[in-house]
Amino acid sequence: MAREFSTVGVVGLGTMGAGIVEVFARNGIDVLAVEISESALERGRATLTGSTDRAVAKGKLAEADRDALHERVRFAVGLDALHSVDLVIEAVPEHLDLKQRIFAELDRVCRPDTILATNTSSLSVTEISVATSRPNQVIGIHFFNPAPVMKLVEVVRTVVTAPEVVADVEALCARLGKVDVTINDRAGFIANALLFGYLNHAVAMVESHYATREDIDAAMKLGCGLPMGPLALMDLIGLDTAYEILDTMYRRGGRDRRHAPVPLLKQMVTAGLLGRKSGRGFYTYQRPGSPVVVPDEATPPATEAALADGARAITKVGVVGSGTMATGIIEVFAKAGYEVVSVTRGAEKSAAVCEAVKTSLNKGVVRGKLAEADRDAALGRISWSATLDHLADVDLVVEAVVEELSVKKALFASLDEICKPGVVLATTTSSLPVIDVAMATQRPADVVGLHFFNPAPVMPLVEVVRTIRTSPEAAATARAVCAALGKTGVVCGDRSGFIVNALLFPYLNDAVKMLEASYSTADDIDHAMKLGCGYPMGPFELLDVVGLDVALAIQRELYLELREPGFAPAPLLEHLVTAGYLGRKTRRGFRDHSHR
């Protein structure tokens, strides 16, 4: 039988601590909330009151339940008040010496059978536990922010944590309505170990002026369905907290360079730009603590006129290719009012593409998303061809052929001969260097990358890729076209993976390495990222959908270009691909899909 916890102590009443107090009190458990001073105690009390009042205002908590919740919480200054509680959770700032001092004191104050827990997200639970004479009763209980809302709890056992302590805490998590993943004491645990490498990489993109903060955040929200972009998330977490977590993970986690905090992060922390809490981080906020972003000197102009500045007029578009992407792109341009010339290799392929576009447009009509007249008008704007010569009078060409450099270069050399001067030539490549394609022509200034996401009619994002030879007019034209299509165009340099893949695939690769090291299961890692970080899919779900062969190819490209040891493809990923386990398309990847 699991132990019954009737009273719980919480040390530290900042955002996390106050949230943890609320979680326990909401679930009928008496809480003793402890701070270092009367003023800190009052701040904690105000945080708790504000949170529960908001829950009542939103209809998520009855007034009677709120009042009962507050009845269960007692406030006290000093650790001596915790002499008779069953469990203590510490939620003070992430400094090892501070936590060790508190645990040594708790060891002296608390009953011998009291479990001592830390909410640390990055420090070693083992190093905290050795400050006590009862390390077998010390455990990590890592809640996620905001604790009353987030479902995930990481339960962290050290090599000496007693099995019954782990079992008691797991049962407590279930009583609190949380999903727990139980793991060993390792830098960053699951969620932070996977999240912070990605966040740090995003900061490096800003630091190197590879893309703007707005474009990086938009790319990850729209391209991956994430609830927040990485830089807005850094501002929410707090740049000082993020710096501490990265620094700890770097020192404790094998000194992986990708966890070494990017210099810009240290500079911002030193300058007091800590994110929302200070009113300024990567973005500027209405006031300290406000979630409302206000324009600052780095905010791009939002007007259509500014977007179209220097853009060339586009009325007729050529699309070359016969695959899924080409079909989707033809539909997108035709629906947006452009005349489209579809060019494929042969009449048979043209007929197949025509049929696929009609089917997709008809689905839109059936679902009520498209009027019959608009469908007919869109189809009327498309002409079908099997020869590139029909692209002689278009204003923009979008290439969507196979991802092989030799094929694309040969095609662009032909387009260079056929197309009139001033035409923007765009490649939809997701992994090849755009400059290699551009240099196959005599007009590299007119070549850009336009990376649509699949399915193109649905996905709102397009990555606009500028090479070092792309002219400002060609880049402006590409952005203006994205806006005319109702898409969000994000601009970046011509580097492997562009924005989305460069940030997404190393994170997926890290998840595979975590599984490979037997640190956790695929299910627990997926739970951690979905419930702890709000991701729409866990990394292994996503890998099986994307295709392990595709993921491996992208990861190899990133590794070859950046030569970063941490980007080397996980051996397990290579083995699964070699074995033919490619994900859903072969009915077997990280999971077996044969019965679904």
Side-chain angles (χ1 to χ4, degrees):
M1 279 295 289
R3 176 173 171 183
E4 269 296 313
F5 295 96
S6 53
T7 54
V8 171
V10 177
V11 179
L13 302 179
T15 309
M16 276 313 300
I20 293 167
V21 168
E22 183 177 337
V23 168
F24 281 110
R26 267 182 186 242
N27 288 279
I29 297 171
D30 290 336
V31 186
L32 186 55
V34 171
E35 257 295 1
I36 196 166
S37 65
E38 283 292 348
S39 58
L41 208 60
E42 278 313 306
R43 280 197 300 275
R45 196 195 299 264
T47 303
L48 178 65
T49 303
S51 174
T52 53
D53 285 353
R54 277 195 303 277
V56 170
K58 288 177 182 170
K60 295 190 174 175
L61 189 66
E63 284 191 30
D65 292 338
R66 174 196 59 193
D67 298 343
L69 183 159
H70 284 283
E71 291 276 300
R72 292 188 197 104
V73 184
R74 286 189 299 128
F75 292 88
V77 172
L79 300 176
D80 286 336
L82 298 166
H83 56 83
S84 61
V85 299
D86 302 319
L87 165 78
V88 178
I89 297 188
E90 160 278 310
V92 303
E94 290 282 89
H95 301 296
L96 183 61
D97 54 344
L98 172 63
K99 290 185 190 275
Q100 285 178 326
R101 282 203 307 277
I102 285 172
F103 271 72
E105 189 65 12
L106 289 171
D107 187 36
R108 184 185 65 74
V109 168
C110 295
R111 296 194 321 249
D113 64 337
T114 299
I115 292 173
L116 306 180
T118 172
N119 182 56
T120 184
S121 59
S122 63
L123 297 173
S124 165
V125 180
T126 310
E127 286 182 38
I128 293 168
S129 75
V130 293
T132 74
S133 62
R134 55 174 107 179
N136 59 324
Q137 282 169 244
V138 176
I139 194 165
I141 305 180
H142 177 220
F143 287 85
F144 285 72
N145 191 18
V149 176
M150 299 301 274
K151 279 282 187 204
L152 185 75
V153 176
E154 289 176 322
V155 175
V156 187
R157 60 178 171 227
T158 72
V159 287
V160 296
T161 306
E164 59 273 18
V165 169
V166 177
D168 290 344
V169 168
E170 287 173 338
L172 176 64
C173 290
R175 181 179 168 189
L176 297 175
K178 301 291 185 189
V179 175
D180 78 88
V181 293
T182 300
I183 43 181
N184 295 325
D185 185 21
R186 174 181 135 164
F189 314 136
I190 296 175
N192 282 355
L194 294 180
L195 179 68
F196 276 85
Y198 149 72
L199 295 178
N200 203 36
H201 192 176
V203 177
M205 282 185 174
V206 174
E207 185 181 59
S208 65
H209 302 290
Y210 177 67
T212 65
R213 61 190 182 183
E214 285 87 357
D215 280 358
I216 293 168
D217 279 355
M220 297 315 287
K221 282 167 67 179
L222 301 176
C224 299
L226 301 186
M228 291 181 90
L231 302 163
L233 180 56
M234 283 287 243
D235 277 358
L236 175 64
I237 291 166
L239 272 59
D240 49 346
T241 305
Y243 180 85
E244 291 291 339
I245 290 173
L246 281 163
D247 190 48
T248 304
M249 279 171 51
Y250 175 70
R251 286 185 284 105
R252 281 187 62 209
R255 299 192 177 265
D256 183 337
R257 247 204 350 247
R258 289 174 315 128
H259 291 148
V262 171
L264 175 62
L265 197 54
K266 181 69 182 286
Q267 292 160 22
M268 291 175 77
V269 172
T270 307
L273 307 176
L274 308 182
R276 282 190 193 184
K277 59 186 170 190
S278 69
R280 181 124 188 224
F282 287 101
Y283 295 92
T284 302
Y285 297 87
Q286 216 165 34
R287 61 181 177 281
S290 167
V292 180
V293 175
V294 294
D296 57 23
E297 65 279 2
T299 305
T303 61
E304 285 290 320
L307 198 61
D309 194 25
R312 299 169 192 166
I314 304 288
T315 55
K316 197 170 185 180
V317 178
V319 180
V320 184
S322 55
T324 311
M325 281 312 297
T327 309
I329 292 166
I330 292 165
E331 180 184 332
V332 166
F333 275 103
K335 281 200 298 200
Y338 290 94
E339 269 188 80
V340 183
V341 181
S342 160
V343 180
T344 62
R345 285 184 313 183
E348 215 173 286
K349 280 199 158 60
S350 265
V353 173
C354 177
E355 206 45 50
V357 171
K358 279 181 182 168
T359 303
S360 181
L361 288 169
N362 284 334
K363 273 188 191 158
V365 173
V366 170
R367 289 178 182 157
K369 295 189 173 177
L370 192 66
E372 286 190 27
D374 292 337
R375 171 199 63 193
D376 298 342
L379 282 170
R381 292 187 195 105
I382 309 169
S383 53
W384 310 96
S385 169
T387 169
L388 292 172
D389 292 338
H390 287 142
L391 299 174
D393 65 338
V394 300
D395 308 308
L396 163 71
V397 178
V398 180
E399 163 277 309
V401 301
V402 65
E403 279 286 271
E404 279 180 32
L405 191 56
S406 58
V407 177
K408 290 186 190 283
K409 284 170 81 168
L411 172 62
F412 271 71
S414 300
L415 293 172
D416 190 28
E417 290 175 16
I418 292 163
C419 295
K420 64 188 181 188
V423 173
V424 174
L425 304 178
T427 170
T428 61
T429 184
S430 60
S431 58
L432 298 171
V434 178
I435 190 66
D436 282 2
V437 178
M439 295 310 288
T441 74
Q442 300 299 308
R443 46 172 113 184
D446 291 331
V447 179
V448 296
L450 270 185
H451 178 218
F452 287 81
F453 286 71
N454 195 13
V458 176
M459 295 296 277
L461 184 72
V462 180
E463 288 175 319
V464 176
V465 186
R466 280 187 321 227
T467 75
I468 50 175
R469 296 287 297 266
T470 303
S471 70
E473 296 79 27
T477 305
R479 287 197 68 176
V481 165
C482 290
L485 294 175
K487 306 281 187 195
T488 298
V490 296
V491 180
C492 61
D494 181 21
R495 225 168 60 185
S496 188
F498 310 138
I499 298 173
V500 174
N501 286 354
L503 290 176
L504 176 66
F505 281 88
Y507 146 75
L508 296 174
N509 195 48
D510 285 346
V512 179
K513 288 180 183 173
M514 191 178 271
L515 179 68
E516 188 172 52
S518 301
Y519 179 62
S520 190
T521 64
D523 286 350
D524 277 358
I525 295 170
D526 277 357
H527 278 321
M529 298 316 290
K530 288 198 297 189
L531 301 175
C533 300
Y535 282 26
M537 296 175 96
F540 297 106
E541 278 179 88
L542 184 54
L543 280 161
D544 276 0
V545 169
V546 167
L548 276 57
D549 51 341
V550 175
L552 178 59
I554 292 171
Q555 195 59 37
R556 279 180 176 154
E557 289 284 343
L558 290 170
Y559 179 52
L560 277 171
E561 178 154 344
L562 301 171
R563 305 295 169 100
E564 172 62 68
F567 282 175
L572 175 59
L573 186 60
E574 296 188 313
H575 295 169
L576 287 167
V577 172
T578 305
Y581 291 174
L582 308 184
R584 285 181 177 267
K585 59 188 169 191
T586 60
R587 297 182 168 266
R588 179 78 194 266
F590 284 99
R591 294 189 176 89
D592 185 345
H593 301 281
S594 55
H595 306 301
R596 296 176 190 187

